[in-house]
Structure formats: C-alpha cells, structure tokens
Amino acid sequence: MVSFDPPTVKRRSFLAGVGSLGTLGTLRYATREPSTEVEVRFWLTEQASTYDIADLLAAHLEAALEYEFWDVDVSFGGVVPVDSEDGARPVLSGRWPMAVGSGATGIGSIDAAKDVNLLVTDGPMHTSPTGYAIPHVASVGGARHIAELEPPDQEADELPYSRPNLTIQVVIHEVGHTLGLRHEHGRTYVVNKATVSTPMMSAYAWDSSFESEKSRCGQEYTPPPHPDRKLTHRFSLCAESTLREYKGGVNLR
Ligand SMILES: [Zn+2]
C-alpha cells in the first residue's frame, strides 16, 4: 500500500533544464496528444504462478482501465524468478525496474510494455508495504487472494472489504501510480450507510496517518461518516480526468 510518489517537478523548471536543445523538445512535448492506447503487461513470480490467476488478473486490469478515451491492451508476460515473494521488494530493490529497463532497451529477456509493467508476487497482504510503484513499473503481493476473486463482470460496483477485494484494489492502486495517479486522486463516498473507498484512496480512507486535506480536484477530505467499509475497483472521476490526459512517458503534473 505504501508507495513511492515521484516528487513534484514543476514543469517550468523541467523545461528550463532541457537547455539549448529545448525548443524542439518543448514543441514536441507541448503538442503531444493524450494516449489513445494503453499497454499493460503483467508477470508472475514462480510461486504466484502456482495459482490459476492470469486470466482473472487480466480481466480485472481490463475492467479497471476500461474507458472510452483509449484502448486497453493487457497481456501476460510470463513467469519471473525472484529471491523473495515480498510484494514491494522487487521495485524497492531496483531489480524489477532494472529488468524492465534492460528489456526495454533490448538487452534483457523482459518484453517491456509501453505503459505499465506489473509484477505480481505471492507476498503477504496484511503487512505494509504490500506493493510499490514508480512510473510505468510496479510490484504487488497477494496472488493467493487474487485466486479467490470473482470475475469483474460478476462484481457489484461496491464490494465488501474482503482480503481478495482489497488485494486487487491494491493492484489497481499501484497501476494507477505507474500512470501518474496520486493518493489525492482518490475519494470516499457513501452508499447504503457504508463508506466506499476508491482505488487511489484505498485503505488510507481509514488510516489516521493519511494527511491530505483535499483531493486533486478540490474535494475536501472528511473522516468516513459510516464505520462500515466498502471498496470499489473503479477509479474516481478525478482520477479518470487525469488518465484522460495521460500522454505516456513520465507524468510531470
Ligand atoms: Zn500508493
């Protein structure tokens, strides 16, 4: 759950740093259109691959990212050996970003995807951190809980706060980070006297250490009015508005 959020980089200072070659770069940057296609690939560790989850995981990722403004291409990249099943360690240690990076440059064996490169382990989901993300690259634990999920087309919009539902929400949360979303793109809302948390807010809705006062879209955060907890696997409208502007590359806003 605890994830790396890239430091805020002011666009102006970034462009100032581009230097004498900046003019072309700036023009190209300024005129790039939002992506009409998002390419997502996931890999499983050997232990995670002992569960029959590839189709289920693909279906949930497709459902979470399904919007009219882009086509989603989700694929299974294969099985990756790791020295620990801990959900966060592959990214924290730098090994998974390195493997994805060397694959992207044609050196390694990983066939990197353009937008999201997700490694799913069988790490425990009851101790933090359960996953970790940097732009375009993430790792998350919980394969055994994903195996217990219903297919997304059999899910309601609001779901019980169960280990499987929370695990796939954490997967979606980390994928959100890889595409430039922050915790402040998340929100809670109330349905039938239950407080529902969206993927970028996730369990932080009930965590007193969560300090932000308002969302990126200006919604004031208040303590959850109802103790009953529910989850949704759909991003908030605030998150959607940022995904709509996603241009690929590292999101600097
Ligand atoms: Zn996070």
Side-chain angles (χ1 to χ4, degrees):
M1 185 72 49
V2 175
S3 306
F4 174 75
D5 287 319
T8 303
V9 179
K10 289 203 171 61
R11 188 175 167 199
R12 189 175 49 196
S13 61
F14 168 75
L15 292 178
V18 172
S20 59
L21 289 173
T23 312
L24 271 178
T26 304
L27 282 173
R28 185 163 172 272
Y29 183 84
T31 57
R32 259 167 80 196
E33 296 294 323
S35 295
T36 54
E37 198 173 276
V38 63
E39 187 182 35
V40 179
R41 194 158 297 138
F42 66 91
W43 289 258
L44 301 175
T45 63
E46 284 169 355
Q47 196 175 312
S49 74
T50 62
Y51 306 94
D52 185 19
I53 58 172
D55 289 347
L56 205 48
L57 190 51
H60 276 276
L61 290 169
E62 280 167 9
L65 293 170
E66 187 181 7
Y67 290 108
E68 86 290 353
F69 49 79
W70 62 23
D71 292 321
V72 185
D73 174 8
V74 178
S75 56
F76 175 40
V79 177
V80 175
V82 287
D83 49 15
S84 161
E85 290 291 331
D86 181 282
R89 192 168 302 170
V91 172
L92 280 172
S93 69
R95 288 190 179 189
W96 178 235
M98 189 89 78
V100 171
S102 56
T105 53
I107 300 166
S109 58
I110 296 293
D111 182 16
K114 184 168 62 73
D115 301 296
V116 180
N117 296 276
L118 169 70
L119 176 61
V120 175
T121 80
D122 197 28
M125 297 303 283
H126 55 272
T127 51
S128 202
T130 51
Y132 213 76
I134 60 176
H136 308 298
V137 181
S139 60
V140 190
R144 71 190 60 194
H145 305 302
I146 293 170
E148 297 168 26
L149 279 167
E150 296 291 333
D153 57 4
Q154 292 173 30
E155 279 185 340
D157 286 343
E158 287 84 26
L159 301 158
Y161 192 92
S162 67
R163 188 64 69 188
N165 286 336
L166 182 60
T167 297
I168 195 70
Q169 198 195 52
V170 173
V171 170
I172 294 164
H173 173 108
E174 301 300 349
V175 166
H177 278 313
T178 69
L179 295 171
L181 297 181
R182 310 293 181 86
H183 297 154
E184 292 76 15
H185 284 101
R187 64 172 294 218
T188 60
Y189 59 93
V190 172
V191 165
N192 295 334
K193 296 192 174 173
T195 300
V196 186
S197 188
T198 68
M200 296 317 293
M201 175 70 83
S202 193
Y204 288 114
W206 299 281
D207 182 345
S208 58
S209 68
F210 186 75
E211 288 180 343
S212 299
E213 289 176 2
K214 54 169 105 164
S215 80
R216 291 245 155 182
C217 299
Q219 186 204 21
E220 301 272 349
Y221 289 144
T222 53
H226 294 285
D228 284 352
R229 301 177 177 194
K230 288 204 165 190
L231 302 170
T232 178
H233 294 156
R234 294 297 290 171
F235 286 117
S236 68
L237 287 175
C238 184
E240 178 182 339
S241 68
T242 294
L243 293 176
R244 185 185 293 272
E245 298 302 313
Y246 170 74
K247 293 180 171 68
V250 177
N251 191 337
L252 295 171
R253 290 194 302 174

